[in-house]
Amino acid sequence: MNESRSPLAPGLYLVATPIGNLEDITMRALRVLREVDRIACEDTRQTRKLLDRYGISTPMISSHEHNEAERSRQLLEELRQGARIAVVTDAGTPGISDPGMILARAAIEAGLAVHAIPGASALLAALVASGLDTERFFFAGFLPPRKGERKTALEELARSLAGPTTLVLYEAPHRILETLEDASAVWGPECRIAVARELTKMHEEFLRGPVRTVREELQGRDTVRGEMVLMIEGRPPAAEAACAGGVRERLAELEKAEGLTEKDALKRLARERGVAKSELWRELQREKSRGR
Ligand code: SAM
């Protein structure tokens, strides 16, 4: 473990800050915020609350999505002179659906030191408690706000998947019902999802289950509020087709009615459904392990 107490080295520090609960910040992050020359903030009023809570008085400068490119030039010059600069956003990890990437990239290209100070991010907090597969996931940030474009984006995401993959998306509360409708159209109403709402805050909530029931639950409420992360048990379209109707059941029918071996029945079913035999075989193993 490298627990250095030497003075902070020059360079850019991408510092993760809490996503709700102000206790979710590391001791290292607090030390960095205290010792840097300047903190570049998405919104100085928001960061002020965090700094006040921990008695930190480091000067702040605003750097948000509208001035990041211009501000980066100025901060880069300071970094070249040996400054130590921290970048924070309103919540979570800089650069994840948030400003930070432009400056980090410019500093790397200029051969300057860039350090990540890890901590909270809604994406990982939501994923690990979702109950969905964490082995293989794809983070796609925010979907397009318009209905048609959003559905197309989900269809493209489905096509881009090489196998079952948990999709992690950020979504606004006033769009969640429509997005769930689109997800249901792409992966079917029984597709498993999780919605993580108000993570680390007083009203933290996880809704888990088939997209159909989660949507019904949210639709039944007077209002849907709060920040949320949507996770979907995504599959490529071929795997969707492979699943339709139950592979094990159909194979048993073919074996019984036509006296085929399992291997030949698989070949036949692959032809019937227009999918690869290997895809069907994998789905068969999944069905067997689920006891279907
Ligand atoms: N950089 C941030 C991070 O690392 O999580 C994300 C910033 S992005 C502009 C804001 C979105 O993150 C929100 O609209 C919501 O989808 C998600 N989010 C942030 N805080 C959250 C929380 N406490 N609970 C659920 N979702 C959250």
Side-chain angles (χ1 to χ4, degrees):
M1 187 178 282
N2 177 13
E3 198 183 330
S4 153
R5 298 299 305 167
S6 52
L8 206 61
L12 184 70
Y13 292 82
L14 301 162
V15 182
T17 58
I19 55 169
N21 187 324
L22 288 188
E23 290 181 1
D24 290 331
I25 184 149
T26 67
M27 288 160 75
R28 183 166 172 236
L30 292 175
R31 182 164 85 91
V32 168
L33 294 178
R34 199 168 277 126
E35 294 184 11
V36 285
D37 301 302
R38 283 232 241 189
I39 305 173
C41 314
E42 189 179 6
D43 180 344
T44 53
R45 286 163 307 180
Q46 195 64 24
T47 303
R48 164 66 51 220
K49 293 182 206 156
L50 179 71
L51 299 189
D52 283 352
R53 163 78 184 259
Y54 291 101
I56 297 173
S57 52
T58 308
M60 291 183 284
I61 180 172
S62 82
S63 175
H64 41 73
E65 71 175 311
H66 304 295
N67 72 354
E68 193 186 358
E70 187 201 316
R71 196 58 105 200
S72 290
R73 281 191 283 280
Q74 178 191 345
L75 293 174
L76 207 59
E77 201 37 55
E78 293 181 19
L79 286 168
R80 281 202 185 94
Q81 314 280 328
R84 299 158 310 167
I85 294 173
V87 174
V88 300
T89 61
D90 289 353
T93 301
I96 303 296
S97 296
D98 255 346
M101 201 186 63
I102 294 177
L103 181 57
R105 207 176 256 171
I108 292 164
E109 279 167 11
L112 298 162
V114 175
H115 310 274
I117 309 298
S121 182
L123 130 72
L124 286 183
L127 177 66
V128 293
S130 67
L132 300 178
D133 192 9
T134 55
E135 194 65 36
R136 190 185 169 104
F137 66 90
F138 186 90
F139 173 64
F142 287 99
L143 292 170
R146 288 216 192 99
K147 191 161 173 52
E149 289 170 24
R150 186 174 50 232
K151 177 132 176 273
T152 306
L154 286 176
E155 285 163 350
E156 278 168 7
L157 271 175
R159 277 198 294 276
S160 73
L161 301 179
T165 306
T166 302
L167 296 176
V168 186
L169 301 159
Y170 287 160
E171 192 48 287
H174 60 278
R175 280 197 288 265
I176 188 73
L177 288 174
E178 287 186 1
T179 302
L180 294 185
E181 202 176 303
D182 292 339
S184 175
V186 175
W187 286 284
E190 298 307 317
C191 161
R192 287 203 307 153
I193 66 155
V195 173
R197 209 174 64 78
E198 295 288 81
L199 285 163
T200 79
K201 302 184 198 174
M202 193 190 296
H203 298 292
E204 172 175 306
E205 178 184 36
F206 274 86
L207 294 117
R208 308 177 180 94
V211 62
R212 176 178 52 81
T213 55
V214 172
R215 192 174 184 284
E216 275 165 17
E217 163 67 32
L218 288 174
Q219 201 167 24
R221 299 183 180 183
D222 291 341
T223 51
V224 181
R225 286 211 199 95
E227 297 193 283
M228 47 185 71
V229 182
L230 166 63
M231 289 144 293
I232 302 171
E233 193 175 63
R235 289 166 182 277
E240 268 304 292
C243 299
V247 172
R248 208 174 173 186
E249 222 175 288
R250 180 66 185 138
L251 287 179
E253 267 172 33
L254 286 170
E255 286 167 29
K256 196 163 164 216
E258 307 195 21
L260 299 178
T261 62
E262 186 180 84
K263 196 170 156 213
D264 287 336
L266 258 178
K267 224 188 267 174
R268 169 78 70 80
L269 188 54
R271 260 205 317 276
E272 261 181 35
R273 295 191 177 177
V275 295
K277 228 171 41 197
S278 57
E279 187 57 61
L280 277 183
W281 189 84
R282 274 197 295 274
E283 178 56 22
L284 179 63
Q285 303 316 308
R286 282 193 290 270
E287 286 186 9
K288 282 182 178 168
S289 71
R290 289 197 296 257
R292 276 198 207 150

